[in-house]
Amino acid sequence: MLKKKILALLSTTLLLGACGGGTTEVAQEDGPWKWERKVEIICPWGTGGGADTTTRTFATALEKELGVPVVVNNRAGAGGISGIQFGAKQPADGYTYIMATPSPLLAQISGATAYDVYGTLNPLVQMVHDVNIFVTSAKSPYNNFQELMEYVNNNPGKIKAGVMTITGLDAACILGATKGKIEPVAYTEGSQLNADVIGGHVDIACVGPAEVAAMVASGDMKVLLSLTENKLTLPGYENVPSAKDLGLNTYFGPARGIFYIKGTPEKALESFENAAQKAIASDFFQNWAKQEGLNQRTGWLNREDFKSQWEADYNSLNQLFGNKQ
């Protein structure tokens, strides 16, 4: 039943979505790679969300290392699939890259899209690995996840959960942690989702800590659960139970990385990777990450480690949501 529910949700959504530093050099036999014009990063989601803000902050830090402008091109649609398709069609000349998370893999794995996300995206570097949490209104009748599920069991079908991407990891967290007993509902604007949670128009939401920090701090929202292996170290979250504390094998959180187009020159990839490592390690990016609560998991991964992590994500999502026939 859980697989059928997530497949139906994913299929419906996809159908609707369809309607100043120096140049980084790497020694090579025929000389280092020279960055001669702007670099473009395709972001498959709209402006203002976590994917967009992470990519733009990274781009600002990266261009100081590359010595050329780095621009972000938002190509939203179909849960990230449209932007990935667009990016894959660009020239593999070293000047175009794609930002993505494991969320689009879920559409492919569930069978909701025939597009080969896994075969198209080639991991280059991971920027951050965010976490997800469940929040509810301060006025809701439940104060923790156990009380929420007791309420759900006594009121079947009544509770709805707001998410930003029904094809993504936030919806997978809802369905996985609640064993399909709570239905995710898609929102297009985070501000509207937050307002509806506070107003009681939607019962809970699966979000990142940074997206609701002000509402939690003001007491308008309360945190029910972190979808993590360990308790969060963020101020005020010390007593929030983790998924592992409750025996829930649901740890999905958006790992945001940069991918390259097949055929991109190796020298460009090596130069980009070296520059990206410096950009992520910069005080500018690290201070931003800490401010956004993005320091709860290891962020930076080089090409080799990111490829291994990407393969692990693909396998684990396949195990949970793939076709088992």
Side-chain angles (χ1 to χ4, degrees), residues 39-55:
V39 170
E40 184 175 39
I41 301 176
I42 308 299
C43 178
W45 292 278
T47 59
D52 176 66
T53 55
T54 298
T55 307

Side-chain angles (χ1 to χ4, degrees), residues 42-126:
I42 308 299
C43 178
W45 292 278
T47 59
D52 176 66
T53 55
T54 298
T55 307
R56 290 182 182 278
T57 305
F58 171 69
T60 299
L62 181 65
E63 64 183 12
K64 295 178 181 178
E65 302 299 333
L66 297 183
V68 295
V70 180
V71 299
V72 177
N73 182 356
N74 296 88
R75 292 274 177 168
I81 301 296
S82 296
I84 293 171
Q85 289 177 310
F86 174 82
K89 294 176 181 178
Q90 304 311 301
D93 57 8
Y95 287 90
T96 303
Y97 298 85
I98 305 169
M99 179 273 167
T101 75
S103 285
L105 285 179
L106 195 52
Q108 175 186 354
I109 287 167
S110 68
T113 179
Y115 188 72
D116 186 9
V117 176
Y118 183 70
T120 298
L121 292 177
N122 301 281
L124 183 50
V125 298
Q126 180 177 283

Side-chain angles (χ1 to χ4, degrees), residues 68-259:
V68 295
V70 180
V71 299
V72 177
N73 182 356
N74 296 88
R75 292 274 177 168
I81 301 296
S82 296
I84 293 171
Q85 289 177 310
F86 174 82
K89 294 176 181 178
Q90 304 311 301
D93 57 8
Y95 287 90
T96 303
Y97 298 85
I98 305 169
M99 179 273 167
T101 75
S103 285
L105 285 179
L106 195 52
Q108 175 186 354
I109 287 167
S110 68
T113 179
Y115 188 72
D116 186 9
V117 176
Y118 183 70
T120 298
L121 292 177
N122 301 281
L124 183 50
V125 298
Q126 180 177 283
M127 300 178 291
V128 299
H129 192 177
D130 203 354
V131 302
N132 278 322
I133 59 175
F134 287 174
V135 296
T136 187
S137 168
K139 300 177 182 178
S140 65
Y142 28 82
N143 297 298
N144 53 54
F145 184 75
Q146 294 97 320
E147 291 181 7
L148 167 67
M149 292 311 298
E150 182 179 351
Y151 187 91
V152 168
N153 291 329
N154 292 331
N155 300 272
K158 183 176 180 180
I159 300 296
K160 305 293 183 185
V163 298
M164 292 303 298
T165 311
I166 209 115
T167 60
L169 301 181
D170 45 359
C173 284
I174 295 292
L175 294 170
T178 69
K179 296 180 171 56
K181 293 182 178 180
I182 295 181
E183 179 183 351
V185 178
Y187 277 75
T188 58
E189 298 291 338
S191 57
Q192 186 61 56
L193 172 56
N194 292 340
D196 280 1
V197 170
I198 292 173
H201 305 298
V202 66
D203 304 282
I204 68 171
C206 182
V207 295
E211 298 161 24
V212 293
M215 283 69 74
V216 172
S218 68
D220 292 316
M221 286 185 184
K222 49 191 175 185
V223 184
L224 302 176
L225 178 71
S226 69
L227 284 303
T228 54
E229 301 86 346
N230 302 300
K231 284 186 170 64
L232 301 181
T233 61
L234 297 169
Y237 286 74
E238 296 86 356
N239 296 322
V240 174
S242 69
K244 187 174 183 179
D245 289 338
L246 303 183
L248 304 172
N249 187 26
T250 305
Y251 308 130
F252 302 124
R256 301 176 185 129
I258 303 297
F259 299 77

